[in-house]
Amino acid sequence: TMAKEKNNENLSFDDLKKQLGMAEPEAKENKSVAKSTPVKTKVNIDEDDGFVDITAQFVNTEEEVPQQTVEKPVEDPKPPVKKRVKTFNEIFSDAFKAVLPTKNDSAKEKMRKVVMDISIIAIVCCVFAFIDYFGEYRTQVNIRNELKGQIISTDGMNDNQYNEAWKDLYAKFPNMNFPTGMKADYAYLYAANQDFVGWLKIENTSLDIQVVQSNDNDYYLKRDFYKNSNRYGCPFMDYKNNTKELDDNTLIYGHHMSDGSLFANLDGFKTLEGYKKSPIINFSTLYQDYQFKVFAVFISTSSPSTDNGFNYMITDFASDEKFNSFINEVRLRSIINTNVTVNANDKIITLATCSHEFDDARLVVMGRLVRENENPTVDVDGATLNPQPKYPQAWYDKKGKDNPYANNI
């Protein structure tokens, strides 16, 4: 027994547990580490029996030891790289190379840049053209509105009031030589431009504008009322016409603008409905107000040489016979047949503008002066379309049609 005690003294605590059958099974591999902690140990020595009884009690506890994660050391952020600011010359050079062909470009790239450059130039030109066009349009509209606002309304004035109005005008324009017999209504307009001869208006259209006259028929084609350059020009009376006493035929020309302004309003007369809406032309000169009944609408050209010798721009006729012959030709050409009569004692007005039926085409609208004591109302219900109006030869050529009047030229 003493020998056993001695041997037991040389055993380790774990070996002693194995001998007593108290060894614990090996723990499976786990991420956690198990720890055995002794709680109570009891040793009994029985001297009578001659051996030692050792009782050991353990409490096996497992404490979860969390696995430590190794954190990577935080690297210091790299300082931002400062980009070099390009100079103006470098920026300009890069832009130049991006849009214009260079010697290092391939043929395909050069072609691409050429097409792109042409497109850019075209767009820029269109933008500037639109701005310029719109600016001139606004200019002529503003001029018209300004002049219209300067017309003096003398309707309803008695003689004393009318004379007082003139007295004020002479005081305001002491150096202006107003024509004898001129109406006070247009004094401000005449003072602004002595080429002013009257005001033209057609009801149910936007045609309501000043009329001027120069020494030729070219000056106001590209000039406004104040003689400044403007593609809209200003409607003008034929230089051959008399402004104080009406000629047999008073001619007024104006541009046919693509935006529908000025004499583009005359397009409405090509239809029966358009004629019925606006059968009267109002034209007031410096001296008197006139009304004309529309009796013909036709297509011609800018020169008699391109319209089989027909000339609608005659201002005075040598005889009644020639005048009547002229009116007959006009009726033959008219797109619309009207009930308005015309005789050798009548005065007529002619409005002419460009048209688009063929090159050098002209749209012409003619009216007959309302006679003294005549009712200015027009019987539009009797108007009809001409089934076969006579056109210039160029019209038939453009349409590919035979001229039914070829033998009557």
Side-chain angles (χ1 to χ4, degrees):
T1 302
M2 295 301 294
K4 288 181 181 180
E5 292 177 0
K6 188 175 181 179
N7 289 334
N8 289 336
E9 290 177 358
N10 294 327
L11 293 175
S12 67
F13 190 61
D14 291 334
D15 292 335
L16 183 60
K17 289 168 62 180
K18 290 179 180 180
Q19 287 185 5
L20 295 176
M22 298 178 65
E24 298 179 4
E26 294 183 1
K28 294 182 180 180
E29 184 179 356
N30 199 328
K31 292 182 180 180
S32 303
V33 179
K35 296 176 70 178
S36 298
T37 305
V39 175
K40 187 193 314 183
T41 304
K42 183 179 180 181
V43 179
N44 296 323
I45 301 175
D46 189 350
E47 294 180 353
D48 297 332
D49 294 335
F51 64 87
V52 179
D53 182 15
I54 301 175
T55 302
Q57 295 180 356
F58 296 88
V59 176
N60 186 20
T61 63
E62 290 186 359
E63 295 181 2
E64 293 288 339
V65 180
Q67 185 177 8
Q68 294 183 348
T69 57
V70 180
E71 296 183 0
K72 295 182 179 179
V74 179
E75 298 180 0
D76 294 335
K78 295 181 180 180
V81 179
K82 293 184 178 181
K83 293 184 179 181
R84 189 177 67 85
V85 179
K86 293 184 178 181
T87 65
F88 175 79
N89 289 337
E90 289 174 330
I91 295 174
F92 181 81
S93 177
D94 290 345
F96 182 86
K97 292 176 181 177
V99 298
L100 296 178
T102 65
K103 63 181 180 180
N104 295 326
D105 291 337
S106 64
K108 185 177 180 179
E109 178 65 10
K110 287 179 180 179
M111 180 60 67
R112 186 190 70 82
K113 287 184 176 180
V114 168
V115 173
M116 180 180 66
D117 294 341
I118 293 174
S119 301
I120 292 173
I121 292 172
I123 292 172
V124 171
C125 290
C126 288
V127 169
F128 278 103
F130 174 78
I131 293 173
D132 181 57
Y133 189 92
F134 183 75
E136 292 190 347
Y137 167 76
R138 291 305 311 166
T139 297
Q140 66 93 14
V141 169
N142 291 338
I143 289 175
R144 190 275 308 272
N145 292 338
E146 175 191 344
L147 295 176
K148 190 175 181 180
Q150 293 178 358
I151 298 175
I152 301 171
S153 179
T154 59
D155 293 340
M157 286 186 180
N158 57 39
D159 291 343
N160 289 334
Q161 292 172 329
Y162 189 77
N163 292 334
E164 283 297 321
W166 265 118
K167 192 177 293 185
D168 292 339
L169 289 168
Y170 282 124
K172 189 172 185 64
F173 304 104
N175 299 321
M176 182 60 57
N177 293 319
F178 292 106
T180 303
M182 172 184 163
K183 296 172 60 179
D185 303 53
Y186 300 113
Y188 281 93
L189 281 66
Y190 184 84
N193 182 357
Q194 287 75 62
D195 287 345
F196 172 78
V197 294
W199 196 273
L200 178 68
K201 181 177 181 179
I202 300 179
E203 296 293 344
N204 300 316
T205 74
S206 63
L207 192 56
D208 185 13
I209 198 167
Q210 72 279 356
V211 178
V212 292
Q213 184 185 44
S214 182
N215 294 325
D216 57 49
N217 288 342
D218 297 324
Y219 186 80
Y220 282 102
L221 283 173
K222 299 296 181 182
R223 288 182 175 88
D224 62 26
F225 179 80
Y226 294 110
K227 304 181 181 181
N228 297 316
S229 177
N230 192 307
R231 75 190 68 200
Y232 283 76
C234 184
F236 58 92
M237 181 186 290
D238 194 289
Y239 75 96
K240 301 185 297 294
N241 278 129
N242 187 328
T243 60
K244 191 167 186 177
E245 298 291 338
L246 292 182
D247 294 306
D248 292 338
N249 184 13
T250 298
L251 294 111
I252 300 176
Y253 310 96
H255 285 306
H256 184 292
M257 303 307 294
S258 58
D259 56 23
S261 63
L262 298 180
F263 277 29
N265 286 274
L266 300 183
D267 277 345
F269 287 100
K270 293 179 180 179
T271 67
L272 199 57
E273 293 75 18
Y275 165 73
K276 289 181 177 181
K277 279 174 51 180
S278 307
I280 295 291
I281 298 171
N282 299 284
F283 181 55
S284 299
T285 68
L286 293 174
Y287 308 95
Q288 194 170 341
D289 299 333
Y290 299 102
Q291 287 186 308
F292 298 83
K293 295 183 177 183
V294 175
F295 71 91
V297 182
F298 59 91
I299 302 298
S300 185
T301 63
S302 64
S303 172
S305 62
T306 54
D307 194 5
N308 305 311
F310 174 68
N311 184 10
Y312 63 88
M313 293 171 283
I314 299 173
T315 57
D316 283 301
F317 296 87
S319 66
D320 292 350
E321 183 182 359
K322 289 187 178 297
F323 179 79
N324 290 331
S325 176
F326 175 80
I327 296 300
N328 290 336
E329 178 70 13
V330 166
R331 288 197 183 278
L332 186 64
R333 291 168 172 265
S334 183
I335 299 170
I336 297 172
N337 296 321
T338 72
N339 290 332
V340 179
T341 61
V342 183
N343 60 52
N345 296 320
D346 289 321
K347 307 286 187 180
I348 64 174
I349 191 170
T350 297
L351 308 181
T353 189
C354 297
S355 196
H356 305 293
E357 284 76 10
F358 52 87
D359 292 341
D360 197 40
R362 295 293 185 270
L363 172 62
V364 183
V365 177
M366 285 187 173
R368 186 262 291 166
L369 179 65
V370 173
R371 299 162 184 156
E372 189 175 357
N373 299 322
E374 181 187 15
N375 188 335
T377 303
V378 179
D379 178 18
V380 295
D381 292 334
T384 60
L385 289 176
N386 185 347
Q388 197 175 65
K390 181 179 180 180
Y391 291 102
Q393 183 59 46
W395 185 91
Y396 297 103
D397 294 341
K398 182 71 176 290
K399 299 287 185 179
K401 296 182 177 181
D402 293 330
N403 185 353
Y405 300 98
N407 295 329
N408 298 331
I409 298 173

